[in-house]
Amino acid sequence: MQKNSYIRFDWAIKRLLRDKANFSVLEGLLTVLLCEEIRIEEIIKDEKAYCVWDDAQTDRIDIKAKDKKGDDIVIRIQNMRKLYYLERIRFGTPAFAEHIYQEVNKVYLVSILYFDLGKGNDYLYHGQNRFIGVHTNDELLITAKEEGAIIQKLPQEVFPEYYLIRVNEFNQVAKTPLEEWVKYLKTGIIDPDTTAPGLPEAREKLRYYDMSPEERHEYDEHVNAIMIQNDVLNTAKLEGHAEGRAEGRAEGKLEDARNLKQLGVSIDIIAQATGLSREEIGKL
């Protein structure tokens, strides 16, 4: 490994970035992503909040922070490498909300996705819950009780905001701070002249050769496990494509034989043309 190699983000988020001395790296990512300066107050440690999300393939961190207005916010950052993501969002977010963000103004859920999630050309997607009248086209206001008063809020002020970073879809020259961050998330490469918030700090704090030999060994095993997992997934995908093509060809032969039979072509000629047996053709 080269001397200027840096630790992958999915490893750093489990170890180094939980240290207060390294908060500036995460603050940089969040500042670039949310387009406002974010200051981390603490890493939330709540076992009840983790129970629904307990999975060795999910690396996550829950952060209590302040936005540029000084409001308290909670942000969950998670690296995802498996395909049941939307189901986990559906069932995990209520538990996350119930146990963590009772007293905060806003919740963000940032997912760094290392797999294909549906169709789309962008590498970054942002969404919120909005409820629009089918007939009136007005937006529903949610009634909430705060400090003894009934207050009307928009759903996006109540429900989490979701940011989906699809690293596999990023295939361009990094020109903006956000693009530089996504490049690092995908490749582990940090340009030496970067000025993107958080990345100069990452260059200083996440150097591979700053780890002890024992830590490097553990990290290397982590990277090897990811490579093996990716190989297995890619092989399964290729086998699935091959199986699909084979099934398609077989179905095509049956359809051709069926059409020829309806035209009155002899079974012998159909068998010669399609490669099907007389028995298979006779059952059509």
Side-chain angles (χ1 to χ4, degrees), residues 154-174:
L154 292 170
Q156 57 263 37
E157 296 177 289
V158 179
F159 295 103
E161 287 189 37
Y162 300 95
Y163 285 86
L164 310 182
I165 305 175
R166 305 167 71 219
V167 296
N168 292 345
E169 300 303 315
F170 183 76
N171 298 296
Q172 59 198 60
V173 177

Side-chain angles (χ1 to χ4, degrees), residues 26 30 40 42-44 61-65 73-75 77:
L26 285 175
L30 295 172
I40 296 174
E42 62 177 312
I43 302 300
I44 300 172
I61 188 170
D62 293 332
I63 298 165
K64 186 173 182 181
I73 61 175
V74 163
I75 305 165
I77 304 175

Side-chain angles (χ1 to χ4, degrees), residues 19-240:
D19 188 332
K20 188 173 183 178
N22 298 331
F23 281 179
S24 57
V25 177
L26 285 175
E27 288 173 343
L29 170 61
L30 295 172
T31 294
V32 167
L33 188 63
L34 304 183
C35 298
E36 63 176 295
E37 186 175 0
I38 302 297
R39 286 288 170 257
I40 296 174
E41 298 283 303
E42 62 177 312
I43 302 300
I44 300 172
K45 298 178 180 179
D46 186 341
E47 294 304 320
K48 291 181 180 179
Y50 288 145
C51 62
V52 177
W53 296 79
D54 186 18
D55 193 302
Q57 297 185 60
T58 305
D59 303 320
R60 63 197 176 277
I61 188 170
D62 293 332
I63 298 165
K64 186 173 182 181
K66 288 188 180 294
D67 61 18
K68 64 181 180 181
K69 296 181 293 186
D71 290 338
D72 290 324
I73 61 175
V74 163
I75 305 165
R76 166 167 284 177
I77 304 175
Q78 57 189 16
N79 291 282
M80 301 292 292
R81 293 188 176 278
K82 56 188 303 182
L83 298 179
Y84 299 108
Y85 169 72
L86 290 180
E87 286 78 2
R88 297 176 71 80
I89 287 290
R90 176 184 171 192
F91 293 110
T93 301
F96 177 45
E98 178 182 354
H99 292 291
I100 286 185
Y101 67 95
Q102 302 269 352
E103 305 297 328
V104 301
N105 297 78
K106 189 65 185 176
V107 176
Y108 299 90
L109 189 58
V110 179
S111 296
I112 303 166
L113 307 178
Y114 291 88
F115 59 88
D116 294 331
L117 180 69
K119 295 181 179 180
N121 298 320
D122 209 334
Y123 63 85
L124 177 65
Y125 285 86
H126 171 223
Q128 296 173 285
N129 285 358
R130 297 185 64 196
F131 301 96
I132 306 298
V134 174
H135 304 99
T136 61
N137 205 39
D138 66 320
E139 186 164 1
L140 178 68
L141 289 171
I142 303 296
T143 300
K145 187 175 182 180
E146 292 184 3
E147 299 178 356
I150 301 299
I151 297 175
Q152 300 291 332
K153 289 189 172 184
L154 292 170
Q156 57 263 37
E157 296 177 289
V158 179
F159 295 103
E161 287 189 37
Y162 300 95
Y163 285 86
L164 310 182
I165 305 175
R166 305 167 71 219
V167 296
N168 292 345
E169 300 303 315
F170 183 76
N171 298 296
Q172 59 198 60
V173 177
K175 297 179 180 179
T176 68
L178 176 61
E179 290 170 351
E180 289 187 66
W181 258 105
V182 177
K183 175 184 175 181
Y184 165 57
L185 295 176
K186 180 176 182 177
T187 66
I189 296 173
I190 305 175
D191 294 333
D193 57 349
T194 182
T195 59
L199 286 183
E201 291 84 352
R203 282 177 54 84
E204 293 299 317
K205 301 173 184 294
L206 304 183
R207 286 193 289 255
Y208 174 80
Y209 281 100
D210 283 352
M211 292 191 293
S212 68
E214 294 76 15
E215 290 171 329
R216 288 202 300 269
H217 174 74
E218 192 173 355
Y219 173 76
D220 291 340
E221 290 297 313
H222 167 75
V223 174
N224 288 336
I226 289 174
M227 294 177 64
I228 292 171
Q229 182 186 71
N230 289 341
D231 286 343
V232 170
L233 291 174
N234 289 336
T235 299
K237 186 182 294 185
L238 289 173
E239 289 176 348

